[in-house]
Amino acid sequence: MSKLENIESQIEELSPQELAAFREWFTKFDAEAWDRQFEADVTAGKLDSLAERALRDHAAGRSTKL
Protein backbone atom coordinates (compact mmCIF):
# COMPACT_ATOMS: atom_id res chain seq x y z
CA MET A 1 0.00 0.00 0.00
CA SER A 2 1.39 3.40 -0.96
CA LYS A 3 1.69 6.23 1.52
CA LEU A 4 -1.20 8.05 -0.19
CA GLU A 5 -3.43 4.96 -0.12
CA ASN A 6 -2.64 4.55 3.57
CA ILE A 7 -3.62 8.18 4.28
CA GLU A 8 -6.82 7.79 2.25
CA SER A 9 -7.72 4.65 4.19
CA GLN A 10 -7.14 6.41 7.50
CA ILE A 11 -9.26 9.39 6.45
CA GLU A 12 -12.12 7.08 5.48
CA GLU A 13 -12.10 5.73 9.06
CA LEU A 14 -12.48 9.13 10.72
CA SER A 15 -15.64 9.98 12.63
CA PRO A 16 -17.71 12.90 11.34
CA GLN A 17 -16.20 15.14 14.05
CA GLU A 18 -12.66 14.03 13.25
CA LEU A 19 -13.30 14.53 9.54
CA ALA A 20 -14.55 18.07 10.20
CA ALA A 21 -11.42 18.84 12.25
CA PHE A 22 -9.20 17.32 9.56
CA ARG A 23 -10.97 19.32 6.85
CA GLU A 24 -10.43 22.55 8.81
CA TRP A 25 -6.74 21.72 9.38
CA PHE A 26 -6.17 20.76 5.74
CA THR A 27 -7.85 23.91 4.44
CA LYS A 28 -5.43 26.04 6.49
CA PHE A 29 -2.46 23.84 5.55
CA ASP A 30 -3.28 24.01 1.85
CA ALA A 31 -3.80 27.79 1.91
CA GLU A 32 -0.46 28.31 3.65
CA ALA A 33 1.30 26.08 1.11
CA TRP A 34 -0.31 28.04 -1.74
CA ASP A 35 0.77 31.33 -0.15
CA ARG A 36 4.37 30.09 0.18
CA GLN A 37 4.41 29.01 -3.47
CA PHE A 38 2.91 32.31 -4.61
CA GLU A 39 5.51 34.29 -2.64
CA ALA A 40 8.30 32.13 -4.11
CA ASP A 41 6.96 32.75 -7.63
CA VAL A 42 6.78 36.52 -6.99
CA THR A 43 10.32 36.57 -5.59
CA ALA A 44 11.60 34.57 -8.57
CA GLY A 45 9.98 37.02 -10.98
CA LYS A 46 7.69 34.41 -12.50
CA LEU A 47 4.75 36.83 -12.48
CA ASP A 48 6.58 39.90 -13.77
CA SER A 49 5.56 39.43 -17.39
CA LEU A 50 1.91 39.09 -16.40
CA ALA A 51 2.06 42.25 -14.30
CA GLU A 52 3.78 44.16 -17.09
CA ARG A 53 1.17 43.04 -19.61
CA ALA A 54 -1.66 44.06 -17.26
CA LEU A 55 -0.11 47.49 -16.74
CA ARG A 56 0.38 47.97 -20.50
CA ASP A 57 -3.22 46.95 -21.18
CA HIS A 58 -4.47 49.32 -18.48
CA ALA A 59 -2.37 52.20 -19.82
CA ALA A 60 -3.77 51.50 -23.29
CA GLY A 61 -7.33 51.73 -21.97
CA ARG A 62 -8.03 48.00 -22.22
CA SER A 63 -9.25 47.61 -18.65
CA THR A 64 -12.46 48.31 -16.79
CA LYS A 65 -13.30 49.09 -13.18
CA LEU A 66 -14.58 46.17 -11.18
Side-chain angles (χ1 to χ4, degrees):
M1 179 179 284
S2 75
K3 192 174 186 178
L4 181 57
E5 290 170 331
N6 186 29
I7 292 169
E8 289 172 348
S9 175
Q10 290 180 4
I11 290 171
E12 289 172 350
E13 295 175 10
L14 295 175
S15 70
Q17 295 83 7
E18 291 170 324
L19 184 57
F22 172 76
R23 190 178 292 120
E24 183 177 333
W25 171 84
F26 187 79
T27 298
K28 290 177 186 176
F29 171 82
D30 193 41
E32 290 169 2
W34 191 92
D35 287 345
R36 285 190 302 274
Q37 182 62 56
F38 182 79
E39 288 296 328
D41 288 348
V42 168
T43 301
K46 292 182 178 182
L47 304 174
D48 291 353
S49 64
L50 295 173
E52 290 167 5
R53 179 178 173 194
L55 291 171
R56 278 194 313 272
D57 285 348
H58 180 69
R62 292 188 296 265
S63 64
T64 58
K65 291 185 177 185
L66 296 176

